[in-house]
Amino acid sequence: MSRPTIRDVAALSGVSLKTVSRVLNEEPGVRPDTMQRVLDAVAELRFQRNEAAANLRRRNNSTRIVGLVTEDVANPFYSAVAGAIESVARQHRHLLLVASSGENPARERELVEAFCARRVVGLIIVPAGGDHSYLEDEIAAGTPVVFVDRPGLPGRVDSVVTENAEGARAGVTHLLNQGHARIAFLGDSAEIYTAVERHRGYRQALEDAGVTLDYALVRFGPHDVALAEQAARELLALPEPPTAIFAGNNRLTIGSVRAIQETGRRVALVGFDDFEMAEYLDPPVTVLAQDPEALGRNAAELLFDRLAGDGGEPRLVTIGAPLVVRGSGEIAYSDGGTARRRAVAKR
Amino acid sequence: MSRPTIRDVAALSGVSLKTVSRVLNEEPGVRPDTMQRVLDAVAELRFQRNEAAANLRRRNNSTRIVGLVTEDVANPFYSAVAGAIESVARQHRHLLLVASSGENPARERELVEAFCARRVVGLIIVPAGGDHSYLEDEIAAGTPVVFVDRPGLPGRVDSVVTENAEGARAGVTHLLNQGHARIAFLGDSAEIYTAVERHRGYRQALEDAGVTLDYALVRFGPHDVALAEQAARELLALPEPPTAIFAGNNRLTIGSVRAIQETGRRVALVGFDDFEMAEYLDPPVTVLAQDPEALGRNAAELLFDRLAGDGGEPRLVTIGAPLVVRGSGEIAYSDGGTARRRAVAKR
DNA sequence: CTGAAAGCGCTAACAG
DNA sequence: CTGTTAGCGCTTTCAG
């Protein structure tokens, strides 16, 4: 029931504690036959070193555990980020502790503290809103922190983010290039960094093209497909409806697809963030493809660089979100007044 | 740079080690003003207890960390399972260590051992193939283990699995009820437990209905959408093609949708496992909806029951996969010989 | 109410 | 090549 210790191994193999420790740590200077006896005892007792105890004593002690605080582990986007982080951690023979903050700053802090109390070697955080200066002590204590998906403590800490504004700008410009001028913007809550950035890109694209922003076409808020569909439906029911929609994330994109299908009109659509079925919808959806895997990988690599002693200035790594052309974004502007034919761009 | 210890707190507040420890552990019997002084020192030094050290000494020592070894953290299905586990763990004030085995039994074992060396309080495992008897020692040492999604060490250890055979049987019966007799089966690798179980359900449904199994209509193997599409296309190109397809997981379902769309024929489709866009496809896809959240929640609850001392017989918990009717599965059998019209069930 | 001493399981430092 | 002693940061035991 109770686990064998290094003492038990020493007793069984008839050597001292230290010799067992040497064998376990593959330190040189143990006679082969002694080593064998120790190994036999280890096997017989099924001994497993207590890493926590070993760590406590070691000079260069390290739990070899990285902490990840994300918004929601169950969210496929963040789970892709987590998967990439885990993969890099694995290469460095580290383990990953994960937790979800649920966009709650207080919970985020609790989790970070729980991680630190367990002496994770570094933290990767998808920051919820709020102030992150509580991390300064931890950073001062030598725990590297990397923010991912959204920046935090800018200029003080490394961050890896998607090119939200640039991507949105490219996407909206793409719609403008198809002749659209009335382009709606559908965004998540205006509290969320990425939503705001994407809106910024939208505005820039309009400005670049000399198109006046019509606030009637801008909607922030819907957080799920149903609400997004509702919002898109309202936009499309305006007296002067948009001829194209730019959707700020994949739930909004899906809602938009549904609302557009309902009208039977040929409304162009570009969405931010790729999703599994985008190419199988009708019409296939043109998107700005975020790369969660690159986000996670870069964050983890940055973290391990810091752990390896890289003391350079805090970095801001940006990951592109290239336009993936599939059909919905290439529906050209047409006067539309009476374009009611149910012209569905099949494939 | 180096973290303060309980000694530093004791020195600053002018009390002994033990008094600090008492305050930290909220043990009774500390004068309020003494307590306050200690708390002040803790705040000033930004002291954070080293949980590993505390654990080492504690009688009822517990890392309050649960380990999860899944097939792939980045897979949305398993991330939903992980999310539910994390949520239950949180309620019990535990943290979650996660890792991906990538279906590799050796890696799974390595990970389990790394977790055990860190003394996780319990393990939840999506077992890769292979022998799991290596876990017996760990179990004997008092670490509860729960298998999820696939059973392992049946009868010896708790498992939480989906009703794969029952669900598949219901799905295929549903197709039979629409008049279909030539129903193809598309499954993942026959090495995978769930694929085999679902195929068992398929066979049972045919048997129940007195329909002879045609092995030409059974395909195991395709592991991604492209291969699935290819396999489905081949099935549909048979001299006597199926009039319905039962797809064993969501990638296979999506591949089937594509292949069916290509033919322009009205082929019914029921898929195992729900997916985000199923209702937005054309036609909307009827599925057996697995419940990864329930899988994870039940596994975690079972684990915490065991940790709470439940010493009952190993349990096998099954989670239903109800039929979600959306359209594709309700396409009735029609002689089809010349049913070539491009009849797309548009809402 | 408080503190000194011992010790969790292991490794570091120093002897032999 | 091997062993002894100390001590990581904390809690326990037992004594004030």
Side-chain angles (χ1 to χ4, degrees):
Chain A
M1 191 70 198
S2 135
R3 294 161 183 287
T5 76
I6 207 175
R7 284 181 94 91
D8 302 319
V9 177
L12 183 61
S13 49
V15 298
S16 75
L17 275 187
K18 178 63 212 177
T19 300
V20 176
S21 172
R22 269 196 266 263
V23 172
L24 260 25
N25 294 300
E26 297 177 25
E27 286 171 33
V30 179
R31 239 192 307 162
D33 62 316
T34 311
M35 187 162 114
Q36 195 49 56
R37 260 189 305 144
V38 172
L39 258 19
D40 289 347
V42 165
E44 183 170 341
L45 295 173
R46 290 166 172 93
F47 168 81
Q48 246 192 340
R49 171 169 50 190
N50 181 331
E51 287 298 335
N55 255 346
L56 191 56
R57 193 61 182 88
R58 267 195 273 257
R59 169 153 302 287
N60 196 3
N61 77 85
S62 158
T63 54
R64 302 190 87 84
I65 296 182
V66 170
L68 169 65
V69 178
T70 182
E71 193 235 311
D72 180 9
V73 182
N75 177 316
F77 180 80
Y78 292 117
S79 76
V81 173
I85 292 171
E86 194 227 331
S87 162
V88 174
R90 237 185 82 74
Q91 286 165 30
H92 292 261
R93 322 204 67 233
H94 281 239
L95 259 26
L96 186 65
L97 210 41
V98 300
S100 311
S101 71
E103 293 291 4
N104 177 340
R107 190 156 139 197
E108 176 196 294
R109 181 169 182 169
E110 261 174 48
L111 291 167
V112 165
E113 278 164 2
F115 282 5
C116 291
R118 279 159 181 98
R119 299 295 186 265
V120 295
V121 299
L123 284 164
I124 298 180
I125 304 177
V126 176
D131 180 27
H132 288 86
S133 54
Y134 73 90
L135 280 164
E136 302 270 14
D137 295 328
E138 205 49 48
I139 294 164
T143 307
V145 174
V146 176
F147 288 105
V148 67
D149 189 44
R150 315 164 186 174
L153 294 175
R156 301 261 314 108
V157 171
D158 297 319
S159 295
V160 180
V161 297
T162 298
E163 290 177 348
N164 290 294
E166 298 83 343
R169 188 177 186 170
V172 174
T173 299
H174 184 69
L175 289 169
L176 289 160
N177 289 345
Q178 317 298 315
H180 298 280
R182 292 191 63 71
I183 302 173
F185 175 88
L186 215 48
D188 203 333
S189 160
E191 309 280 291
I192 296 178
Y193 166 81
T194 52
V196 173
E197 285 296 295
R198 291 167 197 175
H199 181 243
R200 193 158 67 79
Y202 163 82
R203 285 199 329 246
Q204 281 177 346
L206 295 186
E207 198 176 306
D208 294 347
V211 172
T212 316
L213 181 73
D214 180 352
Y215 279 106
L217 299 182
V218 174
R219 289 291 173 94
F220 279 103
H223 200 72
D224 61 41
V225 173
L227 290 172
E229 184 179 344
Q230 171 76 21
R233 206 183 284 137
E234 287 168 16
L235 287 166
L236 293 169
L238 288 173
E240 290 184 82
T243 64
I245 297 179
F246 179 77
N249 69 34
N250 55 30
R251 291 180 304 283
L252 300 171
T253 306
I254 295 165
S256 301
V257 169
R258 305 208 72 186
I260 292 170
Q261 279 182 353
E262 256 178 28
T263 66
R265 277 184 260 160
R266 287 178 58 76
V267 177
L269 173 66
V270 170
F272 206 105
D273 199 6
D274 206 359
F275 54 99
E276 209 181 4
M277 297 299 302
E279 57 181 309
Y280 308 124
L281 291 190
D282 182 16
V285 184
T286 292
V287 299
L288 284 323
Q290 284 201 89
D291 190 345
E293 200 274 337
L295 235 32
R297 184 165 28 78
N298 278 274
E301 278 167 0
L302 201 39
L303 189 79
F304 281 104
D305 284 354
R306 296 304 189 183
L307 284 171
D310 178 344
E313 286 297 296
R315 270 178 261 165
L316 177 66
V317 177
T318 60
I319 307 294
L323 186 76
V324 178
V325 169
R326 295 210 180 97
S328 73
E330 294 67 50
I331 294 175
Y333 169 75
S334 70
D335 158 275
T338 51
R340 313 222 135 230
R341 57 220 147 98
R342 223 177 135 74
V344 189
K346 215 61 215 140
R347 188 139 332 129
Chain B
M1 191 68 199
S2 135
R3 294 160 183 285
T5 75
I6 206 174
R7 286 180 91 92
D8 302 318
V9 177
L12 183 61
S13 50
V15 298
S16 75
L17 274 188
K18 176 61 213 177
T19 300
V20 177
S21 171
R22 269 196 267 262
V23 172
L24 260 25
N25 294 300
E26 298 177 24
E27 286 171 33
V30 180
R31 243 192 307 164
D33 62 315
T34 312
M35 189 163 116
Q36 195 50 56
R37 260 189 305 145
V38 172
L39 257 19
D40 289 347
V42 165
E44 183 170 342
L45 295 174
R46 292 171 172 89
F47 168 80
Q48 248 193 340
R49 171 169 48 191
N50 181 330
E51 288 297 335
N55 255 345
L56 191 56
R57 192 61 181 86
R58 263 196 275 259
R59 171 150 300 288
N60 196 1
N61 78 85
S62 158
T63 55
R64 302 188 86 84
I65 296 181
V66 170
L68 169 65
V69 178
T70 181
E71 193 233 311
D72 179 10
V73 182
N75 177 316
F77 179 81
Y78 293 117
S79 77
V81 174
I85 292 171
E86 193 228 332
S87 164
V88 174
R90 237 184 82 72
Q91 287 164 30
H92 293 261
R93 323 203 67 235
H94 281 239
L95 259 27
L96 185 66
L97 208 43
V98 300
S100 310
S101 71
E103 295 290 4
N104 178 339
R107 190 155 139 200
E108 176 197 294
R109 181 170 182 167
E110 263 175 45
L111 291 167
V112 165
E113 277 164 3
F115 282 6
C116 291
R118 276 151 183 107
R119 300 295 187 264
V120 295
V121 299
L123 284 164
I124 298 180
I125 304 176
V126 177
D131 180 26
H132 288 86
S133 54
Y134 72 91
L135 281 164
E136 302 269 15
D137 295 329
E138 206 48 48
I139 294 164
T143 308
V145 173
V146 176
F147 288 105
V148 67
D149 189 45
R150 314 163 187 175
L153 293 175
R156 301 261 317 108
V157 172
D158 296 319
S159 296
V160 180
V161 298
T162 298
E163 290 177 347
N164 290 294
E166 298 83 343
R169 188 177 184 172
V172 174
T173 298
H174 184 70
L175 290 169
L176 289 160
N177 290 345
Q178 317 299 316
H180 297 280
R182 290 192 65 73
I183 303 173
F185 174 89
L186 215 49
D188 202 334
S189 160
E191 309 281 291
I192 296 177
Y193 166 80
T194 52
V196 173
E197 284 296 295
R198 292 166 197 175
H199 182 244
R200 194 158 66 79
Y202 163 81
R203 283 198 330 244
Q204 281 176 345
L206 296 186
E207 198 175 306
D208 293 347
V211 172
T212 315
L213 180 74
D214 180 352
Y215 278 106
L217 299 182
V218 173
R219 287 291 173 95
F220 279 103
H223 201 71
D224 61 41
V225 173
L227 290 173
E229 184 179 345
Q230 171 75 23
R233 205 182 285 135
E234 287 168 16
L235 286 166
L236 293 169
L238 288 173
E240 291 185 80
T243 63
I245 297 179
F246 178 78
N249 69 33
N250 56 30
R251 294 182 303 282
L252 301 171
T253 305
I254 295 165
S256 300
V257 169
R258 305 209 70 184
I260 292 170
Q261 280 181 353
E262 254 177 31
T263 65
R265 276 183 260 161
R266 287 178 57 76
V267 177
L269 173 67
V270 170
F272 205 105
D273 199 5
D274 206 359
F275 54 100
E276 209 180 1
M277 298 299 303
E279 57 182 310
Y280 308 124
L281 291 190
D282 182 17
V285 184
T286 293
V287 300
L288 283 321
Q290 284 200 87
D291 190 345
E293 200 275 337
L295 236 31
R297 183 165 28 79
N298 278 274
E301 279 168 358
L302 202 39
L303 190 79
F304 282 103
D305 283 353
R306 295 306 189 183
L307 285 170
D310 177 344
E313 287 297 294
R315 269 178 262 164
L316 176 67
V317 177
T318 60
I319 308 292
L323 186 76
V324 178
V325 169
R326 297 209 179 97
S328 74
E330 294 67 51
I331 294 176
Y333 169 74
S334 70
D335 156 276
T338 52
R340 314 225 134 229
R341 58 221 148 100
R342 219 177 139 74
V344 189
K346 204 75 207 132
R347 190 132 328 129

